[in-house]
């Protein structure tokens, strides 16, 4: 592309792609409950390339290089937060499965359904696919899908409900055993 075409493409990227990136960064910050330093660094580097792209006397080769670098930094700005969110959500899901897997005897526990672990495997595969396709442009969509799938499974589990039910069953068993012992003691006196 010529220098002018690179500059026009840069403006198009800012108009059309930046809003998506800003949304991704906001989602990450809400998820993390803090500001994303990584996003700030990537945006800073992107704007350095935009500023260089608009300098007087830049060659076509330099313009194309800086446009590509601008795209790379913007892509990282959205892909890496989504990757982090998907992985963090999956690790939380995995942790719940390890901690609450013993409560499978409770009726309608999602962990006792065979498709639950197939869904977990799919999420793991999506994360791996997203990592390998980072430079191809569709990683954000893949990581977004992995995050949404993990979030849906976490919502399905609601581990506290199963923990409370498990504790109630154990307490009920102890109370029943205690009452049975008291009754047996009175009957056989």
């Amino acid at each position: 592309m010529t220098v002018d075409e690179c500059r026009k493409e840069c403006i198009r990227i800012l108009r059309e792609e930046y809003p998506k990136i800003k949304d991704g960064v906001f989602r990450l910050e809400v998820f993390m409950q803090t500001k994303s330093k990584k996003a700030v660094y990537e945006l800073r580097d992107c704007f350095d390339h935009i500023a260089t792209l608009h300098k007087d006397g830049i060659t076509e080769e330099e313009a194309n290089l800086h446009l590509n670098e601008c795209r790379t930094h913007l892509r990282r700005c959205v892909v890496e937060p989504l990757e982090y969110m998907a992985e963090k959500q999956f690790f939380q899901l995995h942790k719940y499965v390890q901690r609450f897997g013993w409560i499978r005897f409770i009726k309608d526990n999602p962990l006792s359904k065979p498709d639950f672990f197939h869904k977990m495997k799919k999420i793991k595969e999506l994360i791996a696919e997203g990592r390998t396709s980072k430079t191809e442009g569709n990683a954000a969509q893949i990581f977004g899908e992995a995050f949404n799938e993990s979030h849906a499974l976490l919502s399905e589990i609601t581990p506290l409900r199963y923990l409370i039910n498990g504790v109630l069953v154990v307490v009920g068993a102890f109370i029943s055993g205690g009452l049975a012992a008291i009754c047996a003691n009175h009957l056989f006196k």
Side-chain angles (χ1 to χ4, degrees), residues 105-140:
F105 60 86
I106 295 174
K107 185 180 179 188
D108 296 327
N109 183 342
L111 298 176
S112 64
K113 298 175 184 173
D115 68 324
F116 182 86
F117 291 99
H118 292 296
K119 289 177 183 177
M120 276 191 69
K121 183 180 177 189
K122 179 186 175 199
I123 294 166
K124 199 180 334 181
E125 290 169 353
L126 284 170
I127 291 170
E129 181 184 349
R131 285 182 182 162
T132 59
S133 66
K134 278 186 177 182
T135 58
E136 296 170 11
N138 61 343

Side-chain angles (χ1 to χ4, degrees), residues 41-61:
Y41 299 149
E42 293 297 340
L43 284 174
R44 178 203 61 204
D45 293 345
C46 173
F47 283 113
D48 283 345
H49 290 289
I50 290 172
T52 304
L53 178 62
H54 287 85
K55 283 185 179 177
D56 291 333
I58 190 169
T59 66
E60 279 187 22
E61 185 179 323

Side-chain angles (χ1 to χ4, degrees), residues 8 10-19:
K8 286 178 185 174
C10 180
I11 298 301
R12 186 201 64 76
I13 289 169
L14 290 174
R15 285 186 183 147
E16 296 175 16
E17 295 179 27
Y18 176 70

Side-chain angles (χ1 to χ4, degrees), residues 168-183:
L168 290 176
V169 166
V170 170
V171 168
F174 278 115
I175 290 173
S176 297
L179 289 174
I182 291 171
C183 289

Side-chain angles (χ1 to χ4, degrees), residues 10 13 46 49-50 66-74:
C10 180
I13 289 169
C46 173
H49 290 289
I50 290 172
H66 288 289
L67 179 63
N68 287 332
E69 288 298 317
C70 173
R71 281 187 177 130
T72 298
H73 289 294
L74 285 177

